[in-house]
Every structure is written in structure tokens, then in C-alpha cells.
Amino acid sequence: MKKITKIAASLFAVAALAIVLAACGGGSNTSSNTEASSSGSASTEASASTSTATTSASATTYRIATDTTFAPFEYAEADGTYVGIDIELLAAVAKDQGFEYELDPLGFDAALQAVQSGQADGVIAGMSITDKRKETFDFSEAYYDSTVCAAALATGDISSLEDLAGKNVAVKSGTMSQSWAESLADEYGFTMTTFDTSDVMYQDVIAGNSAACFEDTPVMSYAISTGNVDLKLIAEADSSSEFATPYGFAVNKGNNAELLQMFNDGLKNIKDNGTYDEIVNKYVQSVG
Ligand code: GLN
């Protein structure tokens, strides 16, 4: 009997510790799982004296990874506040569904890796839904159509893919536009340099180090039309190609199904009530 009590007490201590760790550690896969399973055993006792057990069980703070500079989807304002279509859609969906989250602007490739390693629960980063990625991620419903393009100096003499023969171009790690560039490199005879962020990649073209860069069309068009970069589009992937796929919110395959479901439900609600259009129009109206 004594032994059993002792074991029970230590099990309870482990469960209690798990709750504390889960509460401190945010919503990573491990902590949210621990939180869910430990709340069952601890709830009777805790809820008898206080209702905080229920609160802590439902108060998972999901960690959502995003890109650092990918306007108009995510970018920092001068004071460091993150804004953009993805940022506002996520906020609207979370409000609609009543979940808490922390935003983690890591960069695109790093954001995907954070989700795969369980350091983040989800990613919203203008992430193209592809069959290959579906092997490692579960995607939400598509929320924005996109394709990829190449851009060069507005005033330079590069105006087509043919002009890239023998030149070097800038691409962004782990992106669809990088895959598109790779599929064209032999045919058009160019080499590639890889960058982690879009802004640094554009600067390489502006500085004259790269003859062109490869990027998502909505993002490149936005940068050009807002006057942020002195570049021009020189080519775009066919809209029926494998490179023209829409964006989705993603979680690690087989994990965070509840979060994914909430995203889909919230997305549907904010589309139905006009919030989705309001958010998108706020950012892309001027671009036309
Ligand atoms: N849509 C592209 C992709 O998923 C690029 C995303 C990004 O750079 N944030 O690969």
C-alpha cells in the first residue's frame, strides 16, 4: 500500500511538473501532447479547489513560425511589429476560433524546419502547397493563389530568361522559385547563389552581383509596385505548371490536427463574414 501511494505521489509530481513545463514552454508538439495527457490525471484534484486546471489545459499557446521579409504576406514595420496578409489572417482565424499563439519570424526555410523538428506547431509563410511537401506536412485549405517569376534590374539589359546565359542569378533557400530556377538553369545556362531572405536576395541584384532573382510573383510585384525595389519582371512560370500552386497554413504531418482543423474552420468563417477580403484588399488593392 505504502509503495503504491509513493508511486502514485511521484507520478502526480511528474504530471504536475509536466503541466508547469507545458505552461512555460509554449505550444510545441511535446508540451501540448504532455499537457493534454497529464490534464486528465490531474484534473480531479485541481478542479476541486480551483478552475485553473481547466484553464491551463485549454490555454495552449501555439508557436507559429513565419518568414521574416515576405511582403505583403509578412514583414516587420519600423517598430518591429509584424504585419501582412498572413499575419492578419492568422490573427483573425485565432480570434474566431479562440486560440492563443506566439509568432516566430524565423525565415522561410528555418520556419519549415522548426515545424518538422517540433519546435513550432505550425507555419504560415506564403508556403506553397506541393505534393512533395505533403509527404512531410499537413496543409490547410488553400488561402491565396500564387506563381513564380524572375526579375532583373529595371534599367538593365536583362529582359528575358535567354539573357541569363552565362550569368549568375539569386534564389531563396527551400522555395518554389528556387525549384523553378533549378529546372531552368541548364536550358538557359545560368548559375545560382542562394539567400535566406527575400530582401537580401533583391539587394544582390540591385548591387549588380546577380543578373536576376527568382521569387513568388505576388511578392515580387508588390515590391516593384510599392517602389521598394527598382526591378522589373522578366519571366513568369506558366499558370498551369507545377510551380503555380496556392499558399496554405501547414503543420507537421500527423501532428496538431486540432490546430489545423481550427485554421480551416476559422478560414471558412472569415471568408464568409468578409474579413478575409478586407485583409487581402488592404494589402493588394494598390497593386491591382
Ligand atoms: N511560396 C514559396 C514557397 O513556398 C516561397 C515562400 C517564402 O519565401 N516565404 O516555396
Side-chain angles (χ1 to χ4, degrees), residues 67 70 74 108 125-128 133 172 174-177 198 215-216 247:
D67 201 346
F70 202 58
E74 46 266 334
F108 184 66
M127 182 178 177
S128 308
R133 287 180 181 158
K172 183 172 166 187
T175 61
M176 282 289 274
S177 48
S198 291
E215 177 62 292
D216 284 12
Y247 297 159

Side-chain angles (χ1 to χ4, degrees), residues 84-94 124 143 263 267 270 275-276 279-280:
I85 294 173
D86 286 352
I87 307 302
E88 292 204 28
L89 286 182
L90 176 64
V93 162
I124 189 156
Y143 66 82
F263 189 90
L267 181 64
I270 65 166
T275 308
Y276 173 92
I279 292 171
V280 169

